[in-house]
Amino acid sequence: MKPLNRMLLAIVCVVPMLVTSPGWPQEATPKTSRKAATSTPSARQQNMDEYIKLMRSDVRQQKAEMMGVMMALSATDAAKFWPIYNDYDAELTKLNDQRVANIKEYARTYNQMTDEKADELIKSAMAYQNQRAELLAKTYDRVKEAVGAITAARFVQVEHQLLLIIDLQIASELPVVGQSS
Amino acid sequence: MSKRKRNSLVMSVLLAILLLTSSVVLAQGNSSQAAAPPAASIDQDIALLRKDLRSQRKQIIAANMNLTGDEAEKFWPIYEQYVNDLVQTNHTKYDLIKQYVQNSGTLTADQADGSVKKWLAVDESVTQLRMKYFPTFRKVLSAQKTALFYQLDRRVQLMIDLQLASQLPLIEP
């Protein structure tokens, strides 16, 4: 197996471990913390917010490290690439705020899902996907201008896979609509 | 069907999808190291893979939607239309995979540029297609069941996309 493929396998194993659970904190909480289970709703909310914040910062850091390994840039290209990546990451983080809010709303309402709420959540999720795709396309153009189309294509390949891994992990952590835990 | 049985079926079907996509793309990848496989062979493999994936996808949806007879009668014709549109949209993606395999993972700057733009455009078109069909599914299903369908469909799509993407070699600068 090629070293790059081994690295991708490692990514497939590591990122899901980072993403697991915060996507569905209400189920994890009673098993891991009796105190949290008996605390007030606002304290639980604060715990969940802190947990999500920590998880997101870990995932972003790991993702950037993996990107660095997979891109294997020369010093000259790295100096041009990373400022663009950092801008992209900052914009993606803002977009992901919308996604986290959507997931929290889903976690809050999935047992009593109404027609209106399901409609609102699905449309919001699709709008997020559209905006993220536009952001990646825009960033591809910037990377291409800075370091050329081949390296920019490699960036899109790696980023696309990392986003898919995170998406799949989040999707598989969420219970399906109408399924009681 | 009990929840445990349904979960078990979903797991086996997802596993089958993983095996299907890995075996076909890996086979193409290995042969590309020696010499690019004939275009007809790639076409046949891809066509077979896509047919199998469609069948597995339908099984997952059918096993998890718990449709009533009346709902099923209205839902499946729309689903078939949706999948047909999806197949048309995805032609571009599979053409790109074929081109990539035939070029043994090496592309010129112009080819790379064209491929990335087409690939990103396909992803956006798939999201647009899903949005376009939302009101159509809503006419025949409750919002809850529509949301359930979209959840299941997205999970399967992510699994297929991830497996395809991870089997393709990274482009070499």
Side-chain angles (χ1 to χ4, degrees), chain B residues 70-127:
Chain B
D70 188 44
E71 285 171 335
E73 198 178 325
K74 293 171 183 162
F75 171 80
W76 288 113
I78 298 171
Y79 176 82
E80 294 298 340
Q81 184 60 50
Y82 163 71
V83 168
N84 284 340
D85 285 355
L86 200 56
V87 167
Q88 296 303 316
T89 306
N90 279 330
H91 278 332
T92 308
K93 186 182 280 187
Y94 286 94
D95 283 347
L96 288 170
I97 291 173
K98 182 179 150 190
Q99 183 194 3
Y100 195 59
V101 169
Q102 280 183 312
N103 286 319
S104 306
T106 55
L107 299 175
T108 64
D110 282 347
Q111 284 173 327
D113 193 31
S115 299
V116 168
K117 286 186 171 163
K118 281 182 192 166
W119 192 284
L120 292 174
V122 170
D123 280 350
E124 284 199 52
S125 300
V126 170
T127 306

Side-chain angles (χ1 to χ4, degrees), chain B:
Chain B
M1 190 184 290
S2 73
K3 187 176 153 190
R4 178 171 291 185
K5 276 186 182 170
R6 270 197 293 145
N7 285 343
S8 166
L9 178 63
V10 170
M11 284 308 294
S12 7
V13 175
L14 287 177
L15 190 61
I17 286 174
L18 281 174
L19 290 173
L20 273 172
T21 46
S22 355
S23 58
V24 172
V25 183
L26 271 178
Q28 298 294 359
N30 288 340
S31 44
S32 73
Q33 284 169 5
S41 156
I42 301 178
D43 285 341
Q44 279 175 359
D45 283 352
I46 288 180
L48 196 61
L49 166 71
R50 296 181 72 184
K51 192 178 168 194
D52 283 342
L53 289 176
R54 284 197 293 277
S55 163
Q56 303 280 1
R57 186 184 198 127
K58 194 171 178 178
Q59 282 183 50
I60 291 184
I61 303 295
N64 285 276
M65 288 293 289
N66 284 332
L67 297 170
T68 64
D70 188 44
E71 285 171 335
E73 198 178 325
K74 293 171 183 162
F75 171 80
W76 288 113
I78 298 171
Y79 176 82
E80 294 298 340
Q81 184 60 50
Y82 163 71
V83 168
N84 284 340
D85 285 355
L86 200 56
V87 167
Q88 296 303 316
T89 306
N90 279 330
H91 278 332
T92 308
K93 186 182 280 187
Y94 286 94
D95 283 347
L96 288 170
I97 291 173
K98 182 179 150 190
Q99 183 194 3
Y100 195 59
V101 169
Q102 280 183 312
N103 286 319
S104 306
T106 55
L107 299 175
T108 64
D110 282 347
Q111 284 173 327
D113 193 31
S115 299
V116 168
K117 286 186 171 163
K118 281 182 192 166
W119 192 284
L120 292 174
V122 170
D123 280 350
E124 284 199 52
S125 300
V126 170
T127 306
Q128 295 295 339
L129 184 69
R130 287 162 60 78
M131 288 182 85
K132 181 185 137 188
Y133 268 87
F134 186 80
T136 314
F137 282 115
R138 270 292 285 118
K139 277 183 191 161
V140 298
L141 296 177
S142 69
Q144 281 183 315
K145 283 204 172 174
T146 308
L148 172 60
F149 165 68
Y150 273 79
Q151 270 191 305
L152 294 168
D153 190 60
R154 179 159 162 74
R155 279 190 197 183
V156 177
Q157 189 64 55
L158 283 170
M159 183 75 76
I160 293 168
D161 286 348
L162 178 59
Q163 194 60 20
L164 281 173
S166 64
Q167 295 297 335
L168 292 173
L170 289 178
I171 187 166
E172 294 293 338

Side-chain angles (χ1 to χ4, degrees), chain A residues 2 4-5 7-8 11 66 69-71 150 153-159 161, chain B residues 100 104-106 165-173:
Chain A
K2 287 184 178 177
L4 281 179
N5 286 344
M7 179 59 68
L8 277 175
I11 291 169
M66 290 164 189
V69 173
M70 303 304 290
M71 290 299 287
I150 301 273
R154 190 176 172 97
F155 157 70
V156 170
Q157 271 188 302
V158 175
E159 181 65 13
Q161 287 186 49
Chain B
Y100 195 59
S104 306
T106 55
S166 64
Q167 295 297 335
L168 292 173
L170 289 178
I171 187 166
E172 294 293 338

Side-chain angles (χ1 to χ4, degrees), chain A residues 38-91:
Chain A
T38 55
S39 60
T40 63
S42 65
R44 277 205 303 274
Q45 183 62 45
Q46 195 179 354
N47 283 346
M48 188 167 98
D49 288 346
E50 287 301 316
Y51 193 29
I52 289 173
K53 198 169 147 191
L54 185 65
M55 179 273 289
R56 289 179 72 187
S57 97
D58 277 351
V59 168
R60 284 175 62 207
Q61 188 188 335
Q62 295 279 345
K63 199 163 156 271
E65 284 171 11
M66 290 164 189
M67 180 62 74
V69 173
M70 303 304 290
M71 290 299 287
L73 296 167
S74 67
T76 313
D77 281 353
K80 295 172 187 167
F81 172 78
W82 286 107
I84 301 171
Y85 179 85
N86 289 337
D87 286 351
Y88 165 76
D89 185 53
E91 285 193 59

